[in-house]
Structures are given as C-alpha cells and as structure tokens.
Amino acid sequence: MTWPDVFPADAGSVLTGLARASIEQRLDLREDLVTDHPAWLCAPGASFVTLTMDARLRGCIGSLVAHRPLGQDVASNAQSAAFADPRFRPLRAADLDRVRIEVSVLGPSVPIQFTDRADALRQLRPGIDGVILDAGWHRATFLPQVWDELPDPSQFLQHLLIKADLPPDHWSPQIRLARYTVTAFAEPA
C-alpha cells in the first residue's frame, strides 16, 4: 500500500489515539501499546507528529520516507515530538491534558525542477505542498500546514532556509527542492 490512499473513516481517531497512547506509555501512564493494528497501519508509511499546547507549537518530529510500518512510525515520532524535539524541554505528565496532537501522513516526495530562485518560487503551491530543501549538509522541511502561518512563497522559502541553518537570502546551484502532500488528522480542539 502506498500513501496517501483512502483512509478508513476512523483513521483520525486511530492515528491520534496511537500517538497519544505512545506518549502516555513513555510517561508511565499506561501499560504496553496495543500491537494488534489494522492492516493499513502495518503498511510502510511516513508521518509527522505535531504537538501544540495552548495553540502554540510544542514539538514536531517526523519521517520523510516510509521506512517502517505506519503504526510504528506514528508511535515513534509521537515520542520523539514529546521528548526529543531539541527546541523544547521534554513533555511532562502534567502537560499532557493541554496538548493537542496532529498526525500527518506523507505522500511520496517529488523533485521540483527549477532554473533559479524566482522559478522555484513560482512553482511552490501554497497550502498544498510540504517542501523539502536540501543544500549540501543543510536540510529542512515544512509541512503544508506551515503555509497557514507563512502564506507568501518568498517568506515560506526564507523561513525554510533559516530552518536549514542558512541565511534567508541564500541561493546556490546546490539547492534541491522536493514537494509532498499530506493527509492530516488532528484531535478536536
């Protein structure tokens, strides 16, 4: 199975529930995770798990390439977002009730062919694409949801360069861009 295929009606509650259960297990708030998953969770998949607290980013970690079953990927990325995102202190049990979880299942990435920065900007599809930027040792990605905060392609690219630890006006022949789409599932607000 490849992503994004059609998900079952309960996919959102299954994915966000799995992410929350994985975090609870790490906090010793629950026993072992259920390992009897539906078949669609056993197919290889790439995901990002985003945590927000009080409507602000609290952690976001994911996989750009499907390298393990989707269920394992979500559970692992949930724990990483909660406890290993270097931008935030590890999540505490007292914080968990205020955390909202979103799981994004990624489709395959597709290289963007461009001639220069202006051409690359013209090809970006606000609100649709996640974007991966590679420039030598520098790499960063933004999920499509970031377009909500950075709707201008120029600003989007500038912030992506900053995330890759490059100057916002940096451009070189080394830069490679790829796009991907996601199917996102979020816990109710």
Side-chain angles (χ1 to χ4, degrees):
M1 181 177 285
T2 59
W3 304 107
D5 284 339
V6 176
F7 289 93
D10 65 345
S13 61
V14 169
L15 290 167
T16 58
L18 176 61
R20 184 168 288 278
S22 179
I23 293 168
E24 289 172 347
Q25 180 190 25
R26 178 78 177 271
L27 289 168
D28 293 325
L29 298 175
R30 75 166 37 229
E31 296 296 320
D32 293 334
L33 287 176
V34 174
T35 56
D36 185 24
H37 296 301
W40 62 271
L41 276 182
C42 298
S47 69
F48 266 73
V49 176
T50 304
L51 308 178
T52 54
M53 190 162 43
D54 303 325
R56 293 178 16 185
L57 182 64
R58 176 58 185 78
C60 184
I61 299 286
S63 306
L64 291 170
V65 177
H67 65 280
R68 58 187 164 192
L70 179 61
Q72 288 179 13
D73 200 63
V74 169
S76 178
N77 289 337
Q79 287 190 7
S80 294
F83 308 108
D85 187 325
R87 299 169 291 182
F88 303 96
R89 64 172 172 70
L91 191 72
R92 298 174 304 175
D95 299 328
L96 194 54
D97 287 342
R98 296 175 33 222
V99 169
R100 181 172 179 250
I101 298 172
E102 180 175 276
V103 176
S104 298
V105 181
L106 280 64
S109 65
V110 177
I112 301 172
Q113 304 298 324
F114 53 88
T115 56
D116 56 20
R117 185 182 185 120
D119 186 31
L121 288 171
R122 280 191 297 275
Q123 293 189 54
L124 296 180
R125 300 182 307 178
I128 298 170
D129 292 329
V131 178
I132 303 166
L133 180 141
D134 273 306
W137 295 101
H138 302 272
R139 187 173 196 192
T141 190
F142 278 153
L143 295 170
Q145 296 90 315
V146 175
W147 288 106
D148 293 342
E149 296 171 35
L150 299 168
D152 176 67
S154 182
Q155 286 185 328
F156 186 92
L157 183 58
Q158 288 173 349
H159 283 267
L160 188 56
L161 286 160
I162 291 167
K163 185 176 181 186
D165 201 26
L166 292 165
D169 60 347
H170 176 80
W171 198 255
S172 79
Q174 274 189 302
I175 289 182
R176 302 286 176 259
L177 298 173
R179 70 174 93 234
Y180 58 90
T181 58
V182 304
T183 304
F185 304 95
E187 292 179 322

